[in-house]
Amino acid sequence: MKYPLVGFPFSESDMLSGRKVLSTKKIITMSKITKDFEKKFAKYLGVKYALMVNSGSSANLLAFFALINPKFKKRLKPNSECIIPAICWSTSLWPIIQAGLKPRFVDVDLKTFNIDLDDLKKKLTNKTKAILAVHVLGNSTNMNELKKIIKKRKLVLIEDTCESLGSKYANKKLGSFGRFGTFSFFVSHQISAGEGGMIVCNDYEDYKIIHSLRAHGWDRGLNISKKNNFNFINSGFNLRPTDITAAIGLNQFKRLNKMINNRSTNRRKIIESIKNSKNWRNQIEFLDPTKKVTPSWFGLPILIHKKFLNRKQRFLNYLNNQGIETRPIISGNFLNQPVSKLYNLNKYKEKFKNADEIEKRGFFIGLHPNKIDQNSVKLLTKNLLMIDKL
Ligand SMILES: Cc1ncc(COP(=O)(O)O)c(C=O)c1O
């Protein structure tokens, strides 16, 4: 691939920091480095607590199992509804169902790719108890509006920020608005530790719940009991990271701002070059950030013009043959996925017009954390404008 979705994500110093953990010859499970990373992450995000886990999916799992935990203030009852946008990742959704809650799908906004607040308002009922906002590819919905809805209806907000680490809304970091915010450090995300994730919150009682749930349900590490290390205070999973992934993640985290700036510069260069090309005839559209959002881009989403809809697959094959890797906008409209029938996800047989449109017209290409060279800009400019020639 000449222009892959992601390059090799680790610098020499990332690899060295991982190797250093191994060379201590201690067990490699989470320890001091994980704690250090958690502290720095919480500070960066402007929240009180951050807890590292082995993936963004695990962070989502913790968030929803916290909401139904007996220790959660005003815990959610089984079958309570949680609003979720139709464009979401699989493990944005499954923890809702696994926790015994009911997902209520809402369409997305064509202009933001995020939850459509008008559709959301229509779908609020007495059963609605939570909202999962999925911040798509570095962008978000109007968080001021969303906050108003949450406050008025006394709902719990969870922010799946797995694709948006570092993005801000009105100067406040995404992931810090809700009861829990979740992040992923999988390859191609804003920082990559190979695997890994983080969950953040502001309430110490919430923190205690997710801390126990992360590792077996015990209180080890919480300094709340003088008993031995085998004191079980809650139910639990084992979603622990290792200090190796924490060390790699923390080392990359130091470069986060630089990588955000590089991605943003790359995006500007690519779009400028395309729009200044003599072949530019509005064949494609780009996603602009929502008002008040300072994005930390994940990829470069593209919508093809409606008149080329029947050529999309041919176009993607063509790009692939030219060495340009593409992928769908998250997983498209998740209700169109085969598993939707298996779990009868669309039980109200609703239409999600905008999510369908984004699925039909959309795809994204990588936005690399290192500065892009002129050859890549040329490659993309030439080939992304070829759709009307195919
Ligand atoms: C929106 C969203 N949520 C959750 C996840 C899951 O993260 P992980 O791959 O670290 O489990 C992803 C993964 O890409 C994602 O895009």
Side-chain angles (χ1 to χ4, degrees):
M1 277 289 159
K2 288 186 201 148
Y3 191 82
L5 279 172
V6 265
F8 182 68
F10 306 129
S11 70
E12 279 302 321
S13 69
D14 293 339
M15 292 187 280
L16 189 65
S17 46
R19 281 203 292 273
K20 263 193 199 155
V21 176
L22 263 181
S23 62
T24 57
K25 296 193 178 156
K26 291 190 186 141
I27 55 168
I28 57 157
T29 187
M30 60 177 195
S31 182
K32 277 204 186 92
I33 304 175
T34 306
K35 267 247 148 302
D36 191 21
F37 188 15
E38 288 172 345
K39 276 202 187 121
K40 292 189 169 128
F41 195 91
K43 188 162 178 225
Y44 171 80
L45 220 75
V47 294
K48 286 200 182 132
Y49 307 102
L51 191 86
M52 191 175 173
V53 281
N54 56 5
S55 70
S57 306
S58 299
N60 284 341
L61 197 66
L62 281 186
F64 283 99
F65 273 82
L67 301 193
I68 57 151
N69 195 270
K71 292 213 162 163
F72 192 77
K73 266 174 262 161
K74 301 202 178 134
R75 106 195 247 208
L76 267 51
K77 295 203 181 81
N79 295 326
S80 302
E81 281 184 4
C82 176
I83 299 270
I84 176 170
I87 291 201
C88 63
W89 186 245
S90 70
T91 52
S92 314
L93 165 70
W94 296 119
I96 299 176
I97 293 174
Q98 286 152 349
L101 305 172
K102 292 272 178 254
R104 183 77 169 100
F105 287 92
V106 165
D107 206 357
V108 293
D109 186 328
L110 260 187
K111 288 234 156 17
T112 68
F113 290 10
N114 276 261
I115 208 154
D116 176 338
L117 295 174
D118 291 330
D119 197 34
L120 184 155
K121 283 179 202 155
K122 282 186 212 147
K123 288 179 178 164
L124 291 170
T125 68
N126 289 340
K127 284 193 190 155
T128 314
K129 299 293 170 205
I131 295 180
L132 175 70
V134 180
H135 301 306
V136 178
L137 297 172
N139 201 27
S140 86
T141 184
N142 178 335
M143 294 304 287
N144 284 344
E145 268 300 303
L146 185 61
K147 268 191 333 197
K148 275 188 211 152
I149 298 170
I150 298 286
K151 202 169 163 205
K152 188 167 164 212
R153 313 273 305 209
K154 297 196 174 67
L155 305 176
V156 185
L157 172 67
I158 309 288
E159 292 177 80
D160 182 336
T161 322
C162 286
E163 300 186 352
S164 302
L165 169 60
S167 290
K168 290 182 266 189
Y169 181 90
N171 235 8
K172 183 172 161 62
K173 299 260 168 46
L174 294 182
S176 69
F177 288 83
R179 190 76 175 253
F180 293 106
T182 61
F183 298 85
S184 165
F185 308 141
F186 186 63
V187 181
S188 88
H189 289 244
Q190 278 81 357
I191 59 168
S192 170
E195 293 283 1
M198 199 71 88
I199 171 163
V200 301
C201 64
N202 276 309
D203 182 313
Y204 184 58
E205 294 306 314
D206 291 349
Y207 175 71
K208 277 202 302 198
I209 297 172
I210 55 173
H211 196 287
S212 297
L213 291 183
R214 172 178 66 174
H216 310 286
W218 59 33
D219 62 3
R220 199 181 291 184
L222 280 171
N223 302 325
I224 51 178
S225 129
K226 299 228 167 358
K227 252 181 102 179
N228 60 36
N229 265 339
F230 295 88
N231 199 36
F232 294 89
I233 56 166
N234 212 319
S235 58
F237 303 99
N238 180 354
L239 309 173
R240 286 183 300 219
T242 67
D243 248 17
I244 298 183
T245 45
I248 297 171
L250 177 55
N251 200 61
Q252 276 212 4
F253 189 55
K254 293 178 195 154
R255 304 198 299 279
L256 176 60
N257 281 338
K258 193 170 163 211
M259 295 194 288
I260 291 175
N261 289 337
N262 284 346
R263 285 185 198 244
S264 173
T265 308
N266 292 344
R267 176 180 179 275
R268 187 177 42 74
K269 274 191 186 165
I270 297 166
I271 295 179
E272 267 176 19
S273 167
I274 287 177
K275 291 196 171 173
N276 288 330
S277 161
K278 61 180 184 344
N279 295 326
W280 172 243
R281 284 180 288 279
N282 297 302
Q283 297 95 318
I284 51 178
E285 262 174 52
F286 300 97
L287 172 73
D288 287 325
T290 304
K291 212 171 151 198
K292 295 198 178 155
V293 171
T294 314
S296 161
W297 293 109
F298 178 101
L300 181 55
I302 290 170
L303 292 179
I304 58 169
H305 195 285
K306 277 185 188 161
K307 66 182 171 196
F308 300 125
L309 268 187
N310 58 359
R311 296 188 200 180
K312 184 178 161 198
Q313 199 45 53
R314 220 182 320 155
F315 184 45
L316 296 189
N317 294 344
Y318 168 82
L319 292 177
N320 195 52
N321 291 336
Q322 300 306 311
I324 300 168
E325 202 177 354
T326 63
R327 54 162 294 172
I329 308 291
I330 314 201
S331 10
N333 175 358
F334 199 79
L335 294 151
N336 293 338
Q337 293 288 345
V339 70
S340 175
K341 281 210 179 83
L342 187 67
Y343 279 81
N344 191 23
L345 293 178
N346 193 1
K347 68 175 179 183
Y348 302 112
K349 308 275 175 267
E350 289 164 317
K351 288 258 175 281
F352 299 89
K353 207 170 121 273
N354 295 342
D356 279 340
E357 180 161 345
I358 289 170
E359 176 177 318
K360 285 200 190 110
R361 294 176 55 203
F363 66 95
F364 80 83
I365 59 168
L367 208 45
H368 301 166
N370 301 323
K371 280 199 179 128
I372 194 172
D373 63 25
Q374 214 37 41
N375 284 341
S376 301
V377 177
K378 276 192 194 150
L379 177 86
L380 294 172
T381 307
K382 176 172 168 241
N383 291 303
L384 285 170
L385 293 175
M386 285 296 279
I387 191 159
D388 53 355
K389 302 254 164 41
L390 296 176

